[in-house]
Amino acid sequence: MSVADIQITEVGHDDHHDDHHDQGFVSKYIFSTDHKTIAKQFLITGIFWAIVGGGLSLIFRLQLGYPDMDLNWLRPIMGDWITAAGKLDTEFYLGLVTMHGTIMVFFVLTAGLSGTFSNFLIPLQIGARDMASGFLNMLSYWFFFLSSVVMFVSLFIETGPASSGWTVYPPLSALPQAMAGSGLGMTLWLISMALFIASTLLGGINYVTTVINLRTEGMTFTRLPLTIWAFFITAVIGILSFPVLLSCALLLIFDRSFGTSFYLSEIFIGGEALPNMGGSPILFQHLFWFLGHPEVYIVILPALGITSEIISTNSRKPIFGYKAMILSMLAIAFLSFIVWAHHMFVSGMNPFLGSIFTLLTLIIAVPSAVKAFNYITTLWRGNIVFTTGMLFSIGLVSFFISGGLTGLFLGNSALDINLHDTYFVVAHFHLVMGSAAFFGLLAGVYHWFPKMFGRMMDEKLGRLHFWLTFIGVYLVFFPLHYIGIAGFPRRYYSFTSFETFSGFADLNTFVTIAAVVTFAAQFIFLFNFFYSIFGGRKAPANPWKSNTLEWTTPRVPQHGNWPGAIPKVYRWAYDYSKPGAPDDFIPQTIPLSHTPESNLPHEGELAKEEGVESPKKEKDKVE
Amino acid sequence: MENTASIFGTGEARVRSMNARKFALWLFIISVTMVFASLTSAYIVKKSEGNWLIIEFPELFNITSVLIVISSISMHFSYLAARRDNLLNIRLGLVITGLLAIGFVVGQYFAWDKLVEQDVYFVGNPAGSFIYVFTGLHVLHLAGGLIFLFVVLFKAYTYKVHSRNLLSIEMCTTYWHFLGGLWLYLYIFLIANN
Ligand code: HEM
Ligand SMILES: [Cu+2]
């Protein structure tokens, strides 16, 4: 009880900081409440899932690229999912696609990305000892872990994992007799997602609370790095949209397990009418996409935040349009809640409604474009330092643009009649969301690895990894546009029986080869990552000459992050190459009154109000 | 606890100082609101598609509504007592609130009975299923509130709730008012859309 009795009135009294500097192994590495450890747990779990999710996609890519291949060599791992004739089981194909989508969207790019970087960077960049609640934070990870275990187990059960796509549309997902994967596999999917939602909400509530309440002195909202803004807005979107997925899933659970008819009506299976009457599968789509569309921004915004930070640092220039970046993120957050029906243009909706959603959808392209332009203008005439993190950030911008453009086509309700559910959509979201966010994740790892593990990753291997992956991604996903325009529907096991498609067989083979090579290139990263944790060159305190607060901590920050007092903040995070300044960067901890040579007129005024006594004394403190 | 302050240095006032727990509670309330907002929207969407039943709501809902409103008042009474260090009234208010809440839950249960008598079942036309989902989920959240209430009551009996230690009772009161408001919203929503 005593813990709960304490009122937090000052930062130093944060009650979850009963510090045990000699923590045992379990409380230090497993059930840790330290945000840095939790971030690493999210990262490692995310990497694990990325390997699994990527591996699954290779299996179905083999089927698509080489429909005649004898897959018996996969029998040792996949057992009876490879039929006696050496073919991939048709229903398991759908299971693979479903699991690939679920894993990538939720486990890798939501938990792996937000979980890692929100946890790691929020306290470090706002100047806090830890998250508002270390305990809830730990809980958030372990809910994710449980959810992962359940989802993983579902891959190995006899009836196969959920198979109705990552969007789990009923009636397919609601009726166990509809397909094998809609039995136990679907039940496990729902359990896993419920746990996942709990994890996301716990995490999100913590992130928002921390950003609002635990900023260090001087860290006003307009001095926050854009990473923090992005994580903050992402968390707010999550708090508003994941509960809706919960209600969506809840009604599905009732339909499946209790016999209600929220999503079901007038269905015949095997010539027999089901008793369910009065429900509507379209209702599910509305609820699902009310989360589903914000979810794509939950995935991309953190990646964009990371990119803002890395591009500005490595262009040695202030980010172009700081306020515009914040405003466009806020606009995206708002708009993302009112465009969901663009996923439902062909669900039989009123064409007038369709045109309204077309309009809203095209409006969201505006703030997205603002962000893209701001990245380019930041790069423009910068003193670019091509670190691996920077390369991946630039790659992200490239994918975000090339994938975003196709969104404009899809957003037209008339064009979408042709394009919906084809490989064109697959190409669109793999570029704009999948690859872009994945590159954001990698950029973040390369950039903050020195702070996470106190060592540097190898830059040569990093560059090799970048080029193989960057080219590979385009080789894999660009051809899918053509295949999509040619009319290939998504989620088909095989196209060999369609005469019209035979001309594209070679292209499909090509894509598969590119996918295998790109996947293989990721092992360069894995080697680099795990090797550098133990054998990397020791990192300097501020390897990228960056302004943000995390680089003022010791090489490997301990529990509590700063050994002494928390640094104060006197300026925004983007004073790079400021005219008049001796260095090309001025960390946020340097008071304006110490830099009279580079202060702008209004900063000169602010400097007088800082109340910093003798410049000399302050300087000792900073260093 | 106090010694940790010295290890982490002192005198670091933060930019804004709102109690982190209270803030987190508000975020939690927002996410619960989103669950119910989405369910009631689903109700409207479903209803507009037709194939719908008109249902007569049990009178009992009126009575339970009154109960939950009174429980909000007694909860607030208890909170005010805590501010004035009136230890006896804190407990009195909490106990009354708890009893009223239990009365509310029992009332909702009998209201379900009444629905069944009218042939409105959980399994059947969504018009009926939705009522069960709304009431059921609300009671589930109320159960969470009851546990919270018992924790505060326990604290009140161990002299840990008083004018300089208001956090727990303050948060409980906030959540309790939210639960009451939520029920009124659901009930009025159902009546208005029938
Ligand atoms: C320029 C702004 C964008 C527009 C106008 C746009 C438009 C669309 C439209 C209309 C669809 C539905 C196509 C169909 O199913 O027929 C779609 C699908 C999709 N979009 Fe976008 N999009 C944009 C940006 C994004 C971004 C930034 C992301 C993610 C970060 C994203 C992720 C997705 C995903 C995942 C799908 C497919 C979902 C599925 O059916 O499985 N989009 N987009
Ligand atoms: Cu969308």
Side-chain angles (χ1 to χ4, degrees), chain A residues 336-351:
Chain A
S336 73
F337 283 100
I338 49 172
V339 299
W340 77 92
H342 65 211
H343 295 274
M344 302 166 58
F345 284 144
V346 296
S347 68
M349 73 198 294
N350 184 331

Side-chain angles (χ1 to χ4, degrees), chain A residues 552-605:
Chain A
T552 63
T553 58
R555 186 174 72 97
V556 183
Q558 293 300 308
H559 204 48
N561 294 342
W562 285 269
I566 297 183
K568 289 183 194 172
V569 165
Y570 298 96
R571 57 179 75 233
W572 74 333
Y574 299 102
D575 270 344
Y576 291 108
S577 303
K578 206 173 182 189
D583 289 328
D584 70 348
F585 71 113
I586 311 177
Q588 288 188 278
T589 48
I590 306 280
L592 291 168
S593 47
H594 292 190
T595 56
E597 66 283 358
S598 63
N599 284 349
L600 302 172
H602 74 278
E603 288 172 336
E605 291 304 308

Side-chain angles (χ1 to χ4, degrees), chain B residues 61-80:
Chain B
F61 280 153
N62 292 333
I63 298 173
T64 53
S65 301
V66 172
L67 287 185
I68 203 166
V69 170
I70 302 177
S71 83
S72 240
I73 297 172
S74 59
M75 186 74 219
H76 211 81
F77 168 78
S78 167
Y79 166 65
L80 292 179

Side-chain angles (χ1 to χ4, degrees), chain A residues 15 129 213 216 247 278 280, chain B residues 8 14-15 21 38 46 49:
Chain A
D15 55 349
R129 298 286 181 202
N213 294 301
T216 184
S247 0
S280 148
Chain B
F8 291 128
R14 62 168 78 98
V15 175
R21 277 163 215 259
S38 59
K46 182 68 226 37
E49 285 183 358

Side-chain angles (χ1 to χ4, degrees), chain B residues 29-96:
Chain B
I29 288 178
I30 289 175
S31 55
V32 176
T33 307
M34 285 309 292
V35 169
F36 284 94
S38 59
L39 286 172
T40 45
S41 315
Y43 183 99
I44 295 175
V45 170
K46 182 68 226 37
K47 184 176 169 226
S48 70
E49 285 183 358
N51 200 345
W52 194 250
L53 282 184
I54 301 294
I55 292 166
E56 219 179 289
F57 299 122
E59 295 279 321
L60 216 49
F61 280 153
N62 292 333
I63 298 173
T64 53
S65 301
V66 172
L67 287 185
I68 203 166
V69 170
I70 302 177
S71 83
S72 240
I73 297 172
S74 59
M75 186 74 219
H76 211 81
F77 168 78
S78 167
Y79 166 65
L80 292 179
R83 282 180 57 166
R84 297 199 198 95
D85 282 328
N86 188 337
L87 298 191
L88 210 63
N89 281 352
I90 302 177
R91 294 173 198 164
L92 186 67
L94 289 175
V95 169
I96 293 177

Side-chain angles (χ1 to χ4, degrees), chain A residues 331-382:
Chain A
I332 286 174
F334 172 71
L335 289 168
S336 73
F337 283 100
I338 49 172
V339 299
W340 77 92
H342 65 211
H343 295 274
M344 302 166 58
F345 284 144
V346 296
S347 68
M349 73 198 294
N350 184 331
F352 176 68
L353 207 58
S355 54
I356 292 184
F357 276 101
T358 296
L359 182 71
L360 293 170
T361 300
L362 296 186
I363 292 177
I364 209 171
V366 176
S368 307
V370 168
K371 293 194 71 79
F373 281 124
N374 283 356
Y375 291 129
I376 296 171
T377 34
T378 306
L379 287 165
W380 184 254
R381 308 188 71 177

Side-chain angles (χ1 to χ4, degrees), chain A residues 53-75:
Chain A
L56 299 181
S57 76
L58 282 198
I59 299 173
F60 62 72
R61 243 354 290 181
L62 279 183
Q63 162 63 30
L64 292 169
Y66 298 94
D68 301 322
M69 192 184 211
D70 182 357
L71 292 174
N72 264 317
W73 55 277
L74 278 172
R75 263 185 166 262

Side-chain angles (χ1 to χ4, degrees), chain A residues 173-222:
Chain A
S173 60
L175 302 170
Q177 60 271 50
M179 70 196 303
S182 292
L184 182 59
M186 189 61 213
T187 305
L188 292 178
W189 191 96
L190 286 166
I191 294 172
S192 170
M193 284 314 293
L195 293 167
F196 184 86
I197 294 169
S199 155
T200 315
L201 288 176
L202 285 172
I205 288 177
N206 229 331
Y207 306 150
V208 172
T209 309
T210 308
V211 171
I212 292 206
N213 294 301
L214 298 185
R215 281 164 294 133
T216 184
E217 201 176 330
M219 185 60 94
T220 56
F221 270 101
T222 45

